Amino acid sequence: MGEWIVDFQGRNHSTAIKLNFLWQQGNIFIMDNHRAALWCWVESLKGADRLNLFHVDRHFDALFSAQDYSHFPHDRFEHFSISEYLECGYDNDFFAVTPLFRWDNYLGLFIEKYRERIENWAFATHGKGTAPQSIPFAAYEPWEFPAALGELKGSWIFNLDLDYFFGRMSDGQMGRLFTNAYIEDWGSGLRKAIDDGVIQVLTISLSPECAAGWGGAEGALAALTQGLGLEFSLPE
C-alpha cells in the first residue's frame, strides 16, 4: 500500500514553490510538481556507486544559480526529512525567504551536487526552459518511446513529468498530444524496467498548470498508472 509523505492539500496552484502532495509506494513517488524529486532520489544515491538519470518533461528544469547553490545544505542534506527539505531556503532582498528547491531548479542543483555520481544523462523534452550546460546528454524524441524504455541498461533514476504528454493548441490552451494507449504503454514499459531492477526510483509529477489543469493531468495519470499496474487516485 502507498502512503502520503505530504498529505493532499487540495487541487491548488503549485507555482514554483508549493507542493500540494507527495505519495509513495515502494520506489515510485507521485507529486503535483517535481519540486520534491531530488529528496526522493537520495536513498538511491546512498545505495549505488554509479547511476544514470532520465528526465522526461516539457521543460529541462535545469536552471542553475550560484546564489542558490551557495545555500545548499551539504553537511546534513542526505538526512533531511521532507519537511526540512521543503523549508530549506535563504533570505532575499525583499525581506522574505526564497525556497531553495523549486520546480525549475531542483535538477540544476542535483547536477551540480551529484554529477560525478551519474554516468549517463538522458533528456526527452519540448525544449522549454534552461538546458543543462555542464553535462553531455542523450536527447530522445516522442516516437522513440515507449520502446526506448526497454533498451535501458544499468541503474536509472527516472523522472517523468506528465506535462510531456501535453502541448499548446491553436486556441492557446493546453491539450493532450498523445492517446491513452500510448501513455498506458509508457506505464507498462516503466513497470517492466522497475521489475527488472533497471529503474531504481521513479518520480512522477502531474504539473496541472502545464497539463490542461488538474482534470487533464489526472486523466493522463490514470492512463499511466493503468500501465504501471498501480492503484492511485487523488481524494475527491
Side-chain angles (χ1 to χ4, degrees):
M1 295 292 292
E3 62 174 323
W4 297 95
I5 306 300
V6 173
D7 288 337
F8 183 58
Q9 307 295 309
R11 291 171 175 79
N12 309 307
H13 285 292
S14 299
T15 66
I17 60 174
K18 182 173 175 58
L19 190 74
N20 288 295
F21 76 93
L22 175 60
W23 182 89
Q24 177 187 5
Q25 181 171 306
N27 59 351
I28 300 174
F29 295 83
I30 302 176
M31 61 203 83
D32 61 303
N33 74 72
H34 265 150
R35 183 185 170 211
L38 202 166
W39 181 86
C40 301
W41 301 338
V42 167
E43 282 305 313
S44 294
L45 289 162
K46 291 178 184 176
D49 292 330
R50 301 291 284 179
L51 284 167
N52 308 286
L53 186 140
F54 210 130
H55 176 73
V56 180
D57 193 313
R58 286 188 75 230
H59 313 83
F60 283 105
D61 291 358
L63 182 68
F64 176 78
S65 118
Q67 181 180 23
D68 284 344
Y69 194 66
S70 69
H71 293 90
F72 198 102
H74 298 280
D75 294 341
R76 297 190 306 114
F77 175 69
E78 294 185 3
H79 302 285
F80 269 14
S81 68
I82 187 62
S83 296
E84 290 173 307
Y85 173 91
L86 294 173
E87 291 168 2
C88 198
Y90 56 91
D91 293 338
N92 60 40
D93 294 336
F94 301 97
F95 305 102
V97 174
T98 297
L100 180 59
F101 302 106
R102 306 184 296 276
W103 70 2
D104 57 353
N105 77 341
Y106 69 93
L107 189 50
L109 292 171
F110 176 84
I111 291 168
E112 186 67 20
K113 174 70 174 174
Y114 292 107
R115 75 177 103 185
E116 300 304 321
R117 300 279 304 279
I118 304 300
E119 191 167 9
N120 296 295
W121 304 84
F123 283 74
T125 74
H126 296 200
K128 305 294 185 181
T130 303
Q133 304 297 311
S134 59
I135 55 168
F137 59 88
Y140 284 76
E141 301 294 343
W143 53 83
E144 298 182 78
F145 297 107
L149 302 175
E151 298 168 358
L152 298 178
K153 307 296 182 186
S155 299
W156 289 80
I157 294 169
F158 205 97
N159 191 44
L160 172 61
D161 195 321
L162 298 184
D163 69 1
Y164 181 75
F165 301 125
F166 291 78
R168 198 163 296 284
M169 303 291 106
S170 59
D171 62 1
Q173 301 300 308
M174 297 302 299
R176 176 97 76 80
L177 299 174
F178 302 98
T179 65
N180 278 349
Y182 176 81
I183 299 175
E184 285 180 26
D185 283 349
W186 265 85
S188 298
L190 291 168
R191 169 51 65 190
K192 186 176 188 309
I194 291 169
D195 291 346
D196 289 346
V198 174
I199 292 179
Q200 301 297 307
V201 57
L202 170 63
T203 42
I204 301 167
S205 170
L206 275 71
S207 292
E209 286 97 335
C210 304
W214 283 93
E218 290 178 71
L221 181 64
L224 185 75
T225 53
Q226 177 73 22
L228 275 166
L230 186 69
E231 291 188 15
F232 175 82
S233 61
L234 291 173
E236 293 298 329

